[in-house]
Amino acid sequence: MTPFTYFQPAGLEEAFSLVAEHGPGTRLMAGGQSLLLALKERLARPPTVVSLSRIPELSAISYAEDGSLEVGAATTYAQLQKAAFTGWHRHISAIAGNLADRSVRSMGTIGGGACQADPRYDVPTLLVASAARMVIGSIDGMRSIDAAAFFSPAGGTTLGPRDILCRIVFPPAGVFASFGFDKFRFRVFDAAVVNAALAVTTDEAGRITIARLVFGGIAACPSVAGAAGARLCGVQLNEFASLPVADIAAQASEEVLPIATATTRHRQFQSELIKTITTGLLTQAGAPGG
Amino acid sequence: MDVDYANKLVGQSVPRTEDLALLTGTARYIDDIRMPGMIYAKVLRSTHAHAHFKLDVSRARTMPGVLGVLTGAELVGKVKPWGDLMQDLLVGDHFAFAIDKVCYEGQEIAAVVAETKYQAMDALEAIDIEYDPLPVVLEADKAILPDAPLLHPNFNYEFGEGNIFDRYRVRIGDIERAEAEADLVVRQRFSSNRQAGAALDPHGCVASYDSFSGMLTLYSSTQSLFMVRDVLADSLQLARNRVRVVAPEVGAGFGSKAQVFAHEVIASIFSLQTGRPVHLVLSRAEVFRVGTARNGQIRHVEMFFKKDGKITGYRDYVIQNSGGSSYWGNQVVHIGTNVGMLPYPVPNIHIDGDIVHTNTAPGGALRGFGIPQINWAKEQLMDIAASELGLDPAHIRDINIVRGDQCPLVTPFGQKVDTTSIDSCLAKAVEVIGWHDKRANKRPYEGVGMSLGMKYTSCRHPSFDTDLSAIRLRLETDGTVTIFSSDVNHGQGHATFLAQIVSDVLGVGFEKIVLAPPDSSNAPFGLGTYASRAAAVLGTACRMAAERLREKIVAIAAHVLEVDAGDLEAGGDRIYVKGLSNTGLYLENLAGYSVYRTHQLPPGFEPTLEATATYDTPTDREAPDGSGNFSVTYAGGCHIAHVRVDPGTGHITILDYVMVHDTGTVINPLIVEGQHQGGFLMGLGMAFGEDYVYDSEGHLLTATFAEYKAPLATDVPELHHLFEIPAPSTTIPGGQKGAGESGTGPVCAALGNAVAHATGVRFTTLPITADRMLLALREKERSGLEIFRYPDDMPDYDGPRGYEDWPKPTGGEGEMFF
Ligand SMILES: Cc1cc2nc3c(=O)[nH]c(=O)nc-3n(C[C@H](O)[C@H](O)[C@H](O)COP(=O)(O)OP(=O)(O)OC[C@H]3O[C@@H](n4cnc5c(N)ncnc54)[C@H](O)[C@@H]3O)c2cc1C
């Protein structure tokens, strides 16, 4: 580490001003699970660190009137894992409870995971697949953007230097007729080689209207297999068994990671994993109760 | 009433004395040491794998808190180089720092000592360095090519040249004839990975020079006090009695702390210069880069068989990657190959070895010491041969192994196998796993595979003609006993198992025995703790010392009690007349006579009750043809793995793993079980995940525990199928054999064979990772091959695919090496 000035604001407004006042070198610290590693190795040398851990509204979980789930950016994975969620929100608990190790889950936060924007991590994939809204604040006021617009295609986030991610708003528990998440990692505490989520909405007749198939670990930001997803539209969930699942999986793989570009062993492995994982997600979605 | 003191502790699972401190966090490791006035050193390490460099440290000298800066150039002529342990020759290729050229990433370039760690780190950043990069060579078979970049152009090696710093050669029997008369020849090139010791307690030291006494004390996380002391004192040109090496709690070494390191020399120089204690503990990234790694091997193996499965010959050309510098590298080839041939007494053996430097991490000693590498090749070839001959892998092994009832037996390679139960181990493992049923009723993507291995119990290294350890015992004046040893415990349970031996021989209560902290200034000379030698070699010294001490104690008792010494027995903390165990004299009283009431002593008895014993094993030096018995006795075992491969991801699950070992007489079953579990774990890491991965410029990409895929607890199967079939050594007086490494040797091959049985994919390289497995499965489908070799049959593989393309040994057929 190199020396820095440490602030622990007790409210959001104070945090906004501190960030604005101390300039672009300032780093926010949520759980510190990524930031501290960088500080310890002197890979990051911020003159100022502003902690988000003492701001109550950042770690609150609540519901909006329409049933949307509002999660404070500094909510820890451990909190999310224990939360009494219903419907597809239960997948948020499951994902939060099955990443990194226990100590990282106790300290690490969903907002930190989003802002770290490491494509191998599960949070960005979850956010993009579920079409979450990201509520961002700064001394200039509050705004909200789509998760897909939060992650920059070149890597990292589109946050400005004075911005703080305040809340993540997930669509209501009943929105998805089916939701699935899967990943492959070498060891249980490793970041994923490939992770994937499939979120499906249906119309009154039970036909698929949207099938968002998203992969993490492939590019610098979550990759959406739009064309493969589109092939599912119009189909009934319980008709999945009749779909050419392997073919759709292969298409998804080619779409997000063209085999011609998969020249390394790692890339070829990812290409195969996408097929395996997609096949699994599609099969699961089509299964009763999927 | 007469108590039966014959109830001995040797053989019992006495809970480890060490564990309370370890589990409660009160054990003090190297980084826990704090001394008044202690200052902190940090090392500037090369960020290039091969480069000339120029250095300017003037800015660093003026940084706040800085008390000293060192570079290689200023030490030339003042500090002696030390070096690779060659046959009879020390090559001075190790130095505190690189002088103007680095040969691997992480090599020491300069160091700073400052009042605080952070000031030292700041000062390192103020060192100006300019690199002039050179081409790198990262692979052993590339390093021997005539146009390979040369690492050490200024060294003259006795048996090598260029990047080949040593050669190895074995000529036993008549290999041409074996080949000509063989019914079957199997051949395959196998390569093995680099592996870290990955001890959680990092390498490090605190050096403290006392200018008043002229004594330099080095606290170091090391496996060997005297090896460090002698090399350090020589390097600094200090008298050896003015250098004291002390080990705190050592959080494992696995071989990676069995040599002197540059940081130990650097910290010592800083302390000599400043007169203050100097702390220098390496970070994890530094340990990965310079803490030594397993030597990678490429083995070109051919085995010759008769129709019935009898092995008639073994030919091998091994090229070993020992990294940028290597203290133990050549010994790994010599000893690992010799002992690794067991349990097969092969009549005709022809081996050549080129041991090379590359621009990668230094190759060191690591659990198994060459045996996992040869076992990986040989035990897979056994399966290949079995399949060619239509024999069961268990059968082809069974008809070739050294059998217990043939012992003692001298093999054509010169090994004197005093006893073994390897044949029974094989039979037991086959039964426990349900081998025949699993082979006959194979399920898709499931398979079973086995490997047999024998492991030396300590070793006479070709480079030093010694294999000794020593113990001194003192009966204290309150009847307690202190054990002094310089062989450092780093997980072997010295305080426990030595006390078991002493307790049995002296009849003193186990809880009254204490092992003194290892300190070269008061412990007898011993080589250290490595090579599975603690129980057998140190344990024998301990038994001898205890017997000597008992003789003295009994002599006093006989004199005082006015009985014949032969009528006395020891037990219950006293010496008593046989049959009268509740009478006699307490050890406390006898010890009192020996120092406080010397008139009570027998005439001519030299006061005090101490005894020292040194045990040097009755082992051979290596003969010019490579033969010899380097090990006092041989532990061994049979491992069988049952695996399932996920055809969608390549992930391999170990469903069951059976280990049946011969560790001779087991002093403490709990400790031995722990050693086997740990040994297996290390083999598992080597088999399925651990590796030193470099980019094309020689930067290590796996220098963190996030990237370095050591197994986690969740990757380890239940190890409940663990058995011992003791064949007590007849050479070691207590019958015990080494336990530390026999669990590691067979693991890679057992898993490789199981994977091949499960999938038809034969791995010839390590580690067997999920990505390799999955791509091999896909390519196997595409190719239609029934047996698919990875990577040999992959389309993009650029190494030699077949025997025709194998390189030839570089040494020629000249003189023999010795
Ligand atoms: C060993 C290990 C394994 C892991 N494995 C996984 C995994 O498998 N899957 C997975 O999803 N994640 C994984 N993670 C990441 C983990 O999920 C954490 O989310 C991550 O480390 C960061 O969260 P944090 O709260 O600790 O953030 P911090 O480390 O405090 O911050 C991370 C970055 O985000 C910025 N930041 C934090 N909060 C905000 C905010 N509200 N507004 C703006 N910027 C902010 C910080 O300035 C910093 O740059 C792993 C982490 C570790 C250490």
Side-chain angles (χ1 to χ4, degrees):
Chain A
M1 279 194 200
T2 48
F4 53 80
T5 310
Y6 186 57
F7 294 99
Q8 286 184 298
L12 258 181
E13 292 307 323
E14 191 188 345
F16 292 151
S17 344
L18 280 168
V19 173
E21 186 185 325
H22 290 277
T26 303
R27 291 295 289 268
L28 295 165
M29 184 155 86
Q33 297 305 293
S34 291
L35 186 63
L36 283 170
L37 291 180
L39 294 179
K40 264 166 73 179
E41 296 295 326
R42 292 189 161 189
L43 297 172
R45 300 163 181 238
T48 311
V49 173
V50 176
S51 166
L52 302 179
S53 64
R54 297 240 172 120
I55 303 173
E57 59 256 59
L58 285 190
S59 57
I61 300 177
S62 60
Y63 291 92
E65 263 174 31
D66 68 348
S68 296
L69 174 63
E70 303 195 328
V71 175
T75 306
T76 63
Y77 297 115
Q79 274 175 278
L80 289 169
Q81 187 185 357
K82 279 186 299 205
F85 288 148
T86 59
W88 84 269
H89 292 160
R90 285 191 301 243
H91 286 279
I92 301 173
S93 295
I95 292 166
N98 189 25
L99 60 79
D101 52 46
R102 192 179 286 268
S103 56
V104 172
R105 292 197 297 268
S106 303
M107 298 295 290
T109 68
I110 187 163
C115 296
Q116 186 67 21
D118 185 320
R120 301 167 311 157
Y121 289 166
D122 306 338
V123 173
T125 303
L126 163 70
L127 297 177
V128 172
S130 64
R133 296 282 297 171
M134 315 295 278
V135 181
I136 299 160
S138 77
I139 195 150
D140 306 322
M142 306 289 287
R143 65 185 199 279
S144 88
I145 60 172
D146 271 340
F150 183 80
F151 298 104
S152 160
T157 68
T158 54
L159 288 176
R162 300 161 145 214
D163 288 340
I164 298 180
L165 175 66
C166 298
R167 260 192 330 277
I168 295 169
V169 183
F170 291 105
V175 159
F176 299 121
S178 167
F179 190 92
F181 180 90
D182 198 6
K183 61 178 171 180
F184 180 85
R185 53 207 154 152
F186 284 108
R187 299 171 303 180
V188 70
F189 300 154
D190 287 342
V193 180
V194 173
N195 61 45
L198 172 63
V200 174
T201 58
T202 50
D203 60 16
E204 291 94 60
R207 280 187 303 265
I208 293 175
T209 46
I210 299 169
R212 232 182 337 265
L213 185 54
V214 183
F215 299 94
I218 311 297
C221 71
S223 316
V224 182
R231 279 180 69 179
L232 304 174
C233 291
V235 180
Q236 299 272 355
L237 267 182
N238 58 12
E239 288 167 8
F240 262 43
S242 60
L243 287 175
V245 168
D247 192 50
I248 297 172
Q251 182 182 352
S253 178
E254 186 61 24
E255 202 179 341
V256 299
L257 177 56
I259 191 70
T261 66
T263 51
T264 63
R265 192 169 82 218
H266 179 69
R267 284 308 208 184
Q268 289 161 0
F269 183 47
Q270 286 186 316
S271 162
E272 292 298 333
L273 284 177
I274 294 172
K275 292 179 213 165
T276 302
I277 293 175
T278 306
T279 304
L281 286 176
L282 290 175
T283 312
Q284 227 179 297
Chain B
M1 198 194 67
D2 198 37
V3 186
D4 179 16
Y5 290 117
N7 198 359
K8 298 291 188 192
L9 286 183
V10 167
Q12 294 190 37
S13 288
V14 178
R16 298 202 323 166
T17 315
E18 290 85 351
D19 290 340
L20 186 65
L22 300 181
L23 295 173
T24 55
T26 53
R28 281 211 310 173
Y29 297 93
I30 192 67
D31 206 26
D32 298 324
I33 292 180
R34 297 287 177 276
M35 299 179 84
M38 189 168 87
I39 53 180
Y40 294 85
K42 290 281 172 192
V43 177
L44 179 74
R45 297 184 180 277
S46 174
T47 54
H48 285 257
H50 202 192
H52 288 292
F53 66 86
K54 284 203 199 81
L55 211 53
D56 181 357
V57 297
S58 49
R59 273 199 308 133
R61 289 194 197 280
T62 63
M63 294 284 288
V66 170
L67 299 164
V69 180
L70 279 176
T71 66
E74 69 196 85
L75 297 181
V76 174
K78 298 183 184 142
V79 169
K80 246 174 89 177
W82 66 99
D84 291 359
L85 291 169
M86 307 299 257
Q87 297 291 64
D88 279 315
L89 173 92
L90 285 171
V91 176
D93 57 357
H94 286 60
F95 198 53
F97 299 101
I99 296 159
D100 54 11
K101 178 184 157 179
V102 287
C103 288
Y104 53 94
E105 189 194 45
Q107 195 175 352
E108 297 77 9
I109 286 181
V112 173
V113 67
E115 294 286 351
T116 72
K117 261 183 227 181
Y118 302 101
Q119 288 171 331
M121 287 165 78
D122 290 345
L124 283 190
E125 293 179 3
I127 294 177
D128 297 304
I129 181 160
E130 221 176 280
Y131 292 98
D132 184 7
L134 294 164
V136 299
V137 57
L138 305 174
E139 279 142 35
D141 54 351
K142 304 273 163 44
I144 58 172
L145 299 177
D147 58 347
L150 214 53
L151 271 77
H152 303 292
N154 300 328
F155 292 120
N156 287 317
Y157 305 116
E158 194 171 3
F159 301 117
E161 66 285 319
N163 291 323
I164 302 171
F165 67 96
D166 197 19
R167 291 200 169 89
Y168 176 59
R169 189 178 292 163
V170 180
R171 299 289 183 267
I172 306 286
D174 182 347
I175 200 73
E176 271 81 31
R177 192 160 152 212
E179 181 170 21
E181 293 177 359
D183 294 324
L184 172 74
V185 181
V186 288
R187 305 188 160 99
Q188 180 57 48
R189 173 191 191 270
F190 289 97
S191 63
S192 61
N193 44 349
R194 309 290 305 275
Q195 184 182 23
L200 288 182
D201 175 31
H203 296 56
C205 64
V206 175
S208 178
Y209 177 66
D210 175 5
S211 57
F212 180 69
S213 64
M215 191 84 169
L216 171 70
T217 302
L218 183 78
Y219 301 86
S220 188
S221 187
T222 181
Q223 296 175 227
S224 178
L225 299 185
F226 281 104
M227 252 192 273
V228 169
R229 188 200 69 167
D230 285 6
V231 179
L232 179 66
D234 190 49
S235 172
L236 300 177
Q237 295 291 285
L238 297 173
R240 295 186 188 191
N241 60 0
R242 292 199 189 274
V243 178
R244 172 182 168 222
V245 180
V246 179
E249 192 65 53
V250 177
F254 307 112
S256 73
K257 293 177 181 167
Q259 65 183 66
V260 80
F261 285 91
H263 65 262
E264 293 168 317
V265 179
I266 295 167
S268 298
I269 298 172
F270 274 141
S271 187
L272 286 162
Q273 287 182 340
T274 60
R276 293 172 67 176
V278 175
H279 170 287
L280 177 43
V281 175
L282 306 197
S283 69
R284 183 57 55 188
E286 291 178 292
V287 173
F288 271 117
R289 291 194 170 91
V290 305
T292 75
R294 194 184 291 285
N295 296 270
Q297 293 185 350
I298 300 170
R299 301 196 85 111
H300 305 84
V301 189
E302 301 164 74
M303 286 179 81
F304 309 120
F305 291 85
K306 286 301 200 187
K307 255 202 238 32
D308 62 0
K310 274 278 187 195
I311 310 169
T312 54
Y314 178 96
R315 183 157 54 207
D316 193 353
Y317 169 38
V318 48
I319 314 175
Q320 176 173 284
N321 181 354
S322 289
S325 71
S326 183
Y327 202 78
W328 289 106
N330 76 326
Q331 310 289 297
V332 165
V333 175
H334 286 255
I335 295 162
T337 303
N338 176 295
V339 179
M341 289 301 291
L342 289 171
Y344 310 116
V346 180
N348 305 294
I349 305 173
H350 182 109
I351 301 173
D352 291 284
D354 288 331
I355 304 155
V356 308
H357 284 308
T358 63
N359 299 112
T360 63
L366 196 67
R367 205 172 198 165
F369 208 76
I371 288 179
Q373 292 97 313
I374 184 172
N375 193 284
W376 165 242
K378 186 191 60 166
E379 285 294 304
Q380 288 207 91
L381 266 186
M382 289 298 285
D383 267 36
I384 293 171
S387 134
E388 297 270 334
L389 292 168
L391 300 173
D392 186 287
H395 175 73
I396 197 170
R397 287 176 171 82
D398 193 48
I399 60 170
N400 279 298
I401 50 181
V402 180
R403 310 196 80 81
D405 59 13
Q406 297 171 320
C407 290
L409 172 137
V410 181
T411 68
F413 210 169
Q415 296 118 352
K416 295 180 187 129
V417 182
D418 58 349
T419 61
T420 187
S421 67
I422 192 93
D423 45 342
S424 314
C425 294
L426 171 62
K428 173 84 179 174
V430 160
E431 175 206 315
V432 172
I433 200 101
W435 174 264
H436 295 296
D437 174 54
K438 290 202 167 64
R439 297 290 292 194
N441 306 304
K442 187 183 140 21
R443 298 203 192 147
Y445 296 105
E446 277 189 31
V448 284
M450 65 168 57
S451 172
L452 295 178
M454 279 170 88
K455 177 65 184 67
Y456 56 80
T457 295
S458 197
C459 194
R460 184 163 301 261
H461 281 262
S463 66
F464 358 96
D465 181 14
T466 175
D467 186 19
L468 60 81
S469 276
I471 289 276
R472 188 168 82 245
L473 297 176
R474 183 161 65 220
L475 181 65
E476 306 291 3
T477 47
D478 60 353
T480 60
V481 177
T482 308
I483 306 174
F484 298 88
S485 159
S486 59
D487 288 7
V488 179
N489 167 63
H490 50 102
Q492 298 77 9
H494 285 48
T496 310
F497 85 81
L498 292 173
Q500 287 177 261
I501 294 172
V502 171
S503 172
D504 281 359
V505 175
L506 295 183
V508 63
F510 176 80
E511 71 291 345
K512 294 193 171 158
I513 304 164
V514 161
L515 175 65
D519 180 339
S520 70
S521 69
N522 59 36
F525 189 98
L527 294 176
T529 307
Y530 56 87
S532 304
R533 63 200 307 277
V537 181
L538 188 66
T540 299
C542 186
R543 180 174 300 279
M544 289 162 58
E547 280 164 0
R548 282 177 194 170
L549 184 57
R550 188 172 74 166
E551 222 169 276
K552 288 189 175 186
I553 298 169
V554 166
I556 302 176
H559 179 70
V560 175
L561 295 170
E562 297 180 352
V563 296
D564 202 62
D567 293 334
L568 293 175
E569 234 160 51
D573 290 309
R574 47 183 140 184
I575 304 294
Y576 56 88
V577 175
K578 275 179 194 159
L580 299 170
S581 62
N582 54 352
T583 66
L585 288 165
Y586 281 106
L587 294 175
E588 183 179 351
N589 304 123
L590 292 165
Y593 294 144
S594 83
V595 293
Y596 294 136
R597 275 181 269 161
T598 57
H599 271 97
Q600 304 277 1
L601 295 175
F605 189 97
E606 191 181 326
T608 76
L609 282 169
E610 290 203 24
T612 303
T614 303
Y615 179 64
D616 188 19
T617 63
T619 39
D620 299 342
R621 300 219 66 189
E622 187 177 44
D625 63 1
S627 70
N629 183 57
F630 309 159
S631 176
V632 58
T633 185
Y634 298 87
C638 177
H639 289 198
I640 304 187
H642 177 200
V643 303
R644 183 193 296 138
V645 178
D646 180 340
T649 63
H651 179 76
I652 304 167
T653 306
I654 302 175
L655 301 172
D656 196 2
Y657 199 91
V658 178
M659 291 190 265
V660 189
H661 284 121
D662 163 24
T663 313
T665 302
V666 174
I667 297 172
N668 186 322
L670 198 63
I671 293 179
V672 167
E673 187 180 336
Q675 288 293 323
H676 290 331
Q677 291 182 347
F680 163 77
L681 186 64
M682 212 128 183
L684 175 64
M686 182 178 172
F688 282 175
E690 297 179 42
D691 201 3
Y692 274 47
V693 181
Y694 289 91
D695 70 11
S696 61
E697 290 169 347
H699 298 117
L700 183 60
L701 304 176
T702 49
T704 70
F705 272 131
E707 301 301 330
Y708 184 79
K709 304 283 187 245
L712 304 178
T714 46
D715 300 316
V716 184
E718 279 294 334
L719 293 172
H720 55 283
H721 283 149
L722 187 57
F723 304 90
E724 280 291 336
I725 302 181
S729 168
T730 49
T731 325
I732 293 290
Q736 67 270 28
K737 298 178 177 178
E741 297 165 284
S742 42
T744 306
V747 182
C748 291
L751 291 169
N753 282 332
V755 164
H757 184 232
T759 61
V761 177
R762 170 69 61 191
F763 274 81
T764 67
T765 196
L766 286 168
I768 307 173
T769 50
D771 51 342
R772 288 172 164 167
M773 184 76 246
L774 187 63
L775 296 181
L777 284 173
R778 295 291 183 265
E779 194 53 40
K780 178 174 182 293
E781 260 166 57
R782 263 193 284 275
S783 68
L785 290 172
E786 198 175 323
I787 307 277
F788 184 89
R789 296 169 310 158
Y790 184 95
D792 314 47
D793 295 324
M794 293 296 282
D796 57 353
Y797 178 63
D798 63 358
R801 284 176 198 262
Y803 174 65
E804 325 70 59
D805 307 322
W806 285 6
K808 296 285 164 280
T810 60
E813 211 48 52
E815 62 192 311
M816 287 297 200
F817 311 137
F818 56 90

